[in-house]
Amino acid sequence: MKDSKMKAGTVQLEGNKLLHHLDKVESWKNGEIINPIYVAFSPSSLCNHKCTFCVYHYKKFEPIFFPLDRYRQLIEEFSTLGVRSLFFAGDGDPLLNKHCVEMIELTREHGIDVAMNTNGYLMKDGDHARLARDLDWIRFSVNGGDRSTYASIHQTSEKDFDKVIVNIEKLVSAKKEIGSEIVIGVQCVLLNENKDSIAALAYKLKDIGVDYLAVKPFLKHPKTEWTCELENKSKVLSELTKLHKLNDGNFSFHLREANFGNFAERGYKRCLSGRFMIEIDARGDVYSCGPYIGDSNHNYGNILKTPFSEVWQSDACREKIQAIQDNLDVSKCMPNCRPNSVNETLWQLKNPPKHINFI
């Protein structure tokens, strides 16, 4: 079994976990420059699927891959700086970088929690056991419950659906064989094109032994043209809630219902998460978050040839983070962005209500 810091408990897909990092929060509140808790990392800027809804259609998908030699140095830096988690995801599929699995191993060896989001097509024999050993969790992007629906949305061959399902099965088998604690999940974006196939997908995944299926809404990036308004939304959601009957001690169906409503005005006025969570793309550019990859106003610097700590502690980085806090109109950011819940919590700490002792 892998040496994991995971503790027994339920999988949390909403909100944030800042209460488990009060040391960092207190240092930040005192005005100190803290090192990130969480890094989203893109080993590849290329993807082998062209999903119709992809948030990154505003940028070019290019064959750029983060170099292994630099990653070896980077993970040493992160370990020294106390970075606590790396999420392999980003603007391309991580597995397109031929060194991805080795990078994950290096991350685990340095005591940093590691997870991955992938379409799962490129897993090779031999990868499944290594990933089951080293990953805390993995999330497969599967956006159709049958071959034709999947191929239409992922813009690929129907055979890809079969191969991804086989790879999920092999990972589940590897998990059982080595006694791993990896959480194996699948995420599906709810669209008009796949709404009638999700039930079949849920039953299939439960039968395979996947830990959960999460269904989330399509969220439009301001720079992308493709859009989707779910037809008969109330009826569709009502039908999907019936899949909660599948939930037991081994499988959970998560309909992320809070995300399907009319998004309320944000409860915060500034993006304060910049010191807690960052994004690094395959070019080595460090960004405030994923939806702003390619935006120079959100680029803190490049770490391919410069140590991360030099970029992170530089005046230029400090000024960028401050400029984002001062000038970014958060009402124009994507709804329910990854830092959203973190910002809600940090805003309350910076702007406490009256009578805080009446808890």
Side-chain angles (χ1 to χ4, degrees), residues 25-297:
V25 173
E26 187 66 22
S27 296
W28 169 83
K29 193 177 176 185
N30 291 335
E32 300 174 27
I33 294 180
I34 62 168
N35 296 319
I37 295 172
Y38 161 94
V39 177
F41 171 64
S42 303
S44 165
S45 66
L46 192 66
C47 191
N48 54 318
H49 289 180
K50 305 300 177 194
C51 298
T52 54
F53 60 85
C54 181
V55 70
Y56 290 111
H57 277 319
Y58 70 87
K59 60 173 283 295
K60 286 178 64 177
F61 287 96
E62 299 177 278
I64 299 172
F65 308 104
F66 198 93
L68 178 61
D69 286 347
R70 178 64 185 106
Y71 190 80
R72 287 194 179 100
Q73 299 167 343
L74 182 63
I75 204 63
E76 292 274 1
E77 295 176 58
F78 282 164
S79 179
T80 300
L81 294 171
V83 171
R84 296 173 183 176
S85 66
L86 258 85
F87 179 37
F88 280 60
D91 54 331
D93 192 277
L95 290 170
L96 269 163
N97 186 318
K98 64 182 181 180
H99 302 298
C100 177
V101 177
E102 184 174 353
M103 289 174 170
I104 288 170
E105 288 177 334
L106 288 167
T107 308
R108 172 60 59 195
E109 288 170 4
H110 283 81
I112 298 174
D113 289 353
V114 58
M116 179 167 66
N117 187 83
T118 177
N119 60 48
Y121 177 81
L122 291 168
M123 283 186 188
K124 304 185 296 292
D125 285 341
D127 289 347
H128 307 91
R130 294 166 74 187
L131 293 172
R133 179 192 65 203
D134 293 319
L135 288 174
D136 286 282
W137 55 269
I138 188 170
R139 188 172 63 216
F140 290 88
S141 179
V142 181
N143 298 286
D146 56 66
R147 301 170 88 241
S148 61
T149 302
Y150 179 93
S152 176
I153 293 172
H154 283 251
Q155 297 289 286
T156 188
S157 165
E158 290 188 2
K159 293 184 293 185
D160 282 20
F161 177 76
D162 300 328
K163 186 169 183 180
V164 168
I165 294 299
V166 167
N167 276 330
I168 295 173
E169 291 173 337
K170 288 182 177 180
L171 187 63
V172 170
S173 294
K175 171 183 177 176
K176 293 176 180 177
E177 184 174 341
I178 67 174
S180 167
E181 294 180 352
I182 183 176
V183 173
I184 301 173
V186 172
Q187 180 167 278
C188 178
V189 176
L190 179 59
L191 307 169
N192 290 311
E193 293 85 351
N194 65 14
K195 60 188 178 185
D196 295 325
S197 71
I198 290 176
L201 179 62
Y203 280 96
K204 182 186 294 287
L205 295 175
K206 178 169 182 171
D207 185 59
I208 290 171
V210 166
D211 292 294
Y212 72 85
L213 167 63
V215 176
K216 62 174 286 187
F218 164 75
L219 299 176
K220 188 179 184 306
H221 190 285
K223 292 184 179 180
T224 57
E225 295 181 3
W226 196 89
T227 190
C228 171
E229 185 66 35
L230 189 64
E231 298 170 1
N232 302 314
K233 183 167 73 171
S234 295
K235 182 179 179 181
V236 171
L237 296 180
S238 177
E239 286 299 311
L240 288 176
T241 58
K242 296 177 183 178
L243 293 175
H244 288 137
K245 67 185 179 183
L246 296 176
N247 293 1
D248 56 26
N250 299 310
F251 176 82
S252 297
F253 175 77
H254 295 269
L255 181 61
R256 300 176 72 170
E257 295 170 88
N259 293 348
F260 284 99
N262 296 318
F263 294 103
E265 181 180 350
R266 283 172 158 87
Y268 54 93
K269 305 301 181 185
R270 297 285 184 267
C271 182
L272 302 175
S273 63
R275 285 293 180 186
F276 289 84
M277 50 200 308
I278 56 170
E279 187 104 16
I280 299 177
D281 72 4
R283 296 170 178 80
D285 288 324
V286 183
Y287 288 97
S288 61
C289 66
Y292 287 102
I293 286 180
D295 187 332
S296 60
N297 293 321

Side-chain angles (χ1 to χ4, degrees), residues 93 243 306 319 357:
D93 192 277
L243 293 175
T306 304
E319 290 168 3
N357 292 329

